[in-house]
Amino acid sequence: MTSFKKVYLYFFLVLFSSYTLADTLDLERKFNIYAKLPLVPKILIMDIITLLKIENYEYEYEFNIKSKNIVDFINQVNGKGKVVGVIDNSYKPTNYTYKYTRKNKDKYVEMSYSNNLVEKIINLPEIDKSKLSIVSDDMLVETIDPSTFFLNLLDFNKTKDCKNKFKIFDGKRRYDVVFTNINITKKNTIECEANQIRLGGYKKDEKVSDVFAASDYIKVIYSNNLDKDFIGYEAKNGSIKIIIEEIK
């Protein structure tokens, strides 16, 4: 075989392999969520098992959340959810469901999307919106659910080199996560820093203990190598720091 043919065959195999891997995927991942107060060790409060399936640029993402240790400053949450959607530069949902128990109350959220709009929202039990800041229809344009937000964070490229802005709506609360800075550390990691902007669906002076719904700052950490692997997520709410680490 000539050198030209060998080179051509090599690039064909690389391209074909990359396409196959990108086009079809079945991947389970596990994460621990910790809470930390100043001067005390971090405490394991939840774990999350996720299953991502990708085929023909459509994705299906299942997640199972379980509380592990009881702490006074974080609400216990146990639940299962699923989101399906399409991949177009980033993960974009078409349908989201989440059934969970918090404070011994069973709750259910379902949202469906069409043309970058939220066309249906179901909350059981129903939410008393009169006690919350307004979430208008215009504020829901191009929003994604919290699980799709987390899924995007697992891929460094989806952060657009730590410059992306994510519009998130969980069925009740509407907030933006805006990446503001990138740091290369001495530990050879990449730290993407972001601010969370609360826009609607919150009570006045509400102390929100949800992992994603309220943060003073956010930091997402990746390895500084070719793959830019996800290492961890940190968020601070008052004196409480939330840490998410993948179980390898």
Side-chain angles (χ1 to χ4, degrees):
M1 184 180 290
T2 66
S3 297
F4 175 79
K5 287 182 178 179
K6 287 180 180 179
V7 172
Y8 179 84
L9 178 61
Y10 170 78
F11 279 107
F12 174 82
L13 290 174
V14 169
L15 287 172
F16 181 79
S17 299
S18 298
Y19 175 81
T20 301
L21 289 171
D23 201 43
T24 304
L25 180 70
D26 195 332
L27 179 63
E28 180 179 275
R29 300 173 77 168
K30 299 179 181 180
F31 304 87
N32 281 336
I33 301 181
Y34 301 89
K36 189 181 185 311
L37 290 171
L39 305 178
V40 298
K42 64 184 181 183
I43 303 169
L44 177 63
I45 57 171
M46 300 176 196
D47 65 27
I48 304 176
I49 299 175
T50 68
L51 178 61
L52 173 63
K53 297 180 181 180
I54 295 176
E55 186 172 356
N56 297 326
Y57 300 97
E58 295 181 350
Y59 73 94
E60 182 178 296
Y61 195 51
E62 299 178 5
F63 55 97
N64 189 342
I65 301 173
K66 290 185 178 180
S67 292
K68 308 302 291 185
N69 293 299
I70 299 174
V71 292
D72 295 335
F73 48 87
I74 297 289
N75 289 330
Q76 279 194 299
V77 177
N78 294 284
K80 293 183 178 181
K82 179 179 177 180
V83 57
V84 296
V86 297
I87 305 172
D88 180 14
N89 295 319
S90 64
Y91 296 99
K92 298 180 179 180
T94 55
N95 185 262
Y96 166 82
T97 58
Y98 180 34
K99 185 178 182 180
Y100 63 102
T101 302
R102 176 183 288 160
K103 296 181 179 179
N104 296 316
K105 295 180 180 180
D106 293 333
K107 300 187 178 185
Y108 176 79
V109 182
E110 180 176 349
M111 294 186 287
S112 59
Y113 305 76
S114 179
N115 297 321
N116 290 323
L117 301 174
V118 180
E119 64 177 7
K120 181 178 72 174
I121 306 170
I122 297 174
N123 279 290
L124 298 175
E126 291 187 11
I127 297 171
D128 185 355
K129 296 181 181 180
S130 65
K131 298 180 180 180
L132 307 175
S133 52
I134 294 173
V135 177
S136 64
D137 290 341
D138 291 343
M139 293 167 64
L140 299 181
V141 177
E142 297 184 340
T143 57
I144 59 176
D145 62 276
S147 60
T148 297
F149 166 61
F150 182 64
L151 179 58
N152 277 298
L153 293 186
L154 297 178
D155 184 347
F156 175 78
N157 293 324
K158 302 294 189 292
T159 70
K160 297 181 180 178
D161 294 331
C162 303
K163 297 176 183 177
N164 208 350
K165 172 183 176 180
F166 293 97
K167 301 178 179 181
I168 303 150
F169 178 61
D170 64 6
K172 176 183 177 182
R173 302 184 184 98
R174 171 70 177 89
Y175 54 93
D176 284 344
V177 174
V178 183
F179 283 91
T180 58
N181 196 27
I182 181 171
N183 292 316
I184 308 299
T185 72
K186 294 181 180 179
K187 297 180 180 179
N188 203 31
T189 61
I190 299 172
E191 295 183 350
C192 293
E193 299 176 355
N195 293 327
Q196 184 181 51
I197 303 170
R198 305 181 199 182
L199 298 175
Y202 294 86
K203 294 179 181 178
K204 186 177 181 181
D205 299 324
E206 178 183 17
K207 293 183 178 180
V208 183
S209 57
D210 185 279
V211 173
F212 287 118
S215 302
D216 300 327
Y217 84 89
I218 292 171
K219 182 194 298 180
V220 190
I221 306 166
Y222 304 90
S223 60
N224 188 20
N225 56 21
L226 184 62
D227 295 327
K228 303 288 193 299
D229 298 314
F230 173 86
I231 294 178
Y233 173 101
E234 295 181 7
K236 195 168 183 293
N237 185 352
S239 61
I240 303 170
K241 180 184 284 189
I242 298 297
I243 302 167
I244 302 177
E245 297 175 352
E246 184 167 7
I247 305 171
K248 298 293 187 180

